[in-house]
Amino acid sequence: MIAQDVPPAPPAVVVPAPWDLTVGLINATVQLDQPLNASSRKVGTGFLLAAPRPDGSARVVLVTAAHVLNVMPGAEVRIGWRTAEADGAWKFAPANLPIRDAAGTPLWTQHPERDVAVMEIVAPEAFARAAIPVGWLADGDTFDQWRVGPGDELMALGYPHGLSANKAGFPILRLGRISSWPLTPIRHFPIFLLDFAVSQGNSGGPVFWTPAVDRLPGAPTPDHPYIAGVLVQEVQGGGEGLELGVVAHAQYVREAIALLDQDKSIEGPQS
């Protein structure tokens, strides 16, 4: 017999475990805060996207709720960077981030209709690598495509009352169920409700799906994780929180980034 060459088997596709995907979003989420005096501060949540500029060059974009930045009167906020130590420990290493120029003009771009803001930033290398691909943002068709409905679970990350999961400054992960209907078309239903305990400090955090959470029986499984939206408000009734969060669809983050690109093109090249 004549030996025949056998083509090598294709490399196995390594699919990250659901917790890896969740950890990826945890690593891309940061605390935003601004001290008002010796005893109080404004606190919110933001997350980082890898959103290339129109020319294809790399860019990190900070996403948060617009009111988080609007209620912080100073020209800078503290952004909660974290650094890994050689022995496996983590260190909370916040740094100042300008949010207004010398004239007091906001440096962020706000969606004209929704409580969503985006801003190009320079992030430490580890955070630039951790930024979530912009393609993970849901669009106007995502919920219909994957038959997302009331009762589906989503995760949310944030800093309730300025608290973090540990002294390293990692965000706190919560789990909730979609508790409103209809969800689309988003031009008619731009927000949806999520059943989980919401507190001041959660605003601006990502609401997202990974395979670690439940789907309705028979519903198709998305082919990658996605960010469903941005937490923008707590629902209150009778002066009390109802443990419901208001989420703005991620499509509005996409639109805000498009406006950011438009603003940059008007400004022209930087010297």
Side-chain angles (χ1 to χ4, degrees):
M1 294 180 61
I2 299 174
Q4 295 182 346
D5 292 334
V6 178
V13 176
V14 179
V15 179
W19 71 265
D20 286 332
L21 304 172
T22 304
V23 169
L25 282 148
I26 289 173
N27 286 333
T29 300
V30 291
Q31 179 177 284
L32 304 172
D33 79 301
Q34 188 178 89
L36 299 180
N37 52 49
S39 60
S40 66
R41 61 185 179 137
K42 295 287 187 181
V43 182
T45 303
F47 60 97
L48 306 180
L49 291 177
R53 300 181 185 92
D55 65 3
S57 57
R59 174 178 62 179
V60 176
V61 170
L62 172 68
V63 182
T64 188
H67 78 263
V68 168
L69 301 178
N70 283 319
V71 301
M72 295 181 177
E76 295 181 330
V77 300
R78 293 196 313 169
I79 186 167
W81 303 131
R82 304 173 293 267
T83 58
E85 304 289 295
D87 62 355
W90 285 82
K91 179 181 179 182
F92 185 56
N96 289 335
L97 175 72
I99 60 170
R100 293 179 176 86
D101 64 17
T105 303
L107 298 176
W108 67 87
T109 296
Q110 181 171 338
H111 192 281
E113 298 174 352
R114 303 268 72 87
D115 188 7
V116 171
V118 298
M119 184 172 69
E120 180 177 345
I121 67 169
V122 176
E125 182 180 354
F127 277 87
R129 292 197 306 269
I132 299 302
V134 71
W136 283 20
L137 287 173
D139 60 26
D141 298 323
T142 298
F143 275 20
D144 289 333
Q145 178 184 1
W146 300 114
R147 289 167 47 194
V148 177
D152 275 355
E153 290 183 342
L154 295 172
M155 292 183 178
L157 288 165
Y159 295 89
H161 296 296
L163 298 174
S164 57
N166 44 49
K167 65 181 181 180
F170 283 94
I172 294 172
L173 179 68
R174 308 300 291 265
L175 180 67
R177 291 185 181 274
I178 295 174
S179 52
S180 58
W181 180 261
L183 301 173
T184 62
I186 67 170
R187 67 181 182 277
H188 296 309
F189 302 97
I191 55 94
F192 62 92
L193 300 181
L194 191 68
D195 181 17
F196 82 111
V198 184
S199 304
Q200 292 184 3
N202 280 116
S203 290
V207 173
F208 61 97
W209 178 89
T210 79
V213 301
D214 289 340
R215 300 246 32 227
L216 295 176
T221 300
D223 51 14
H224 63 75
Y226 64 85
I227 297 172
V230 181
L231 194 285
V232 296
Q233 189 179 347
E234 174 192 17
V235 178
Q236 292 196 343
E240 297 183 359
L242 300 182
E243 297 193 347
L244 286 171
V246 178
V247 183
H249 280 281
Q251 172 63 23
Y252 298 110
V253 179
R254 289 179 174 272
E255 293 177 8
I257 291 173
L259 290 173
L260 170 63
D261 292 337
Q262 188 178 78
D263 291 345
K264 292 295 183 182
S265 67
I266 294 173
E267 292 173 7
Q270 301 297 310
S271 59

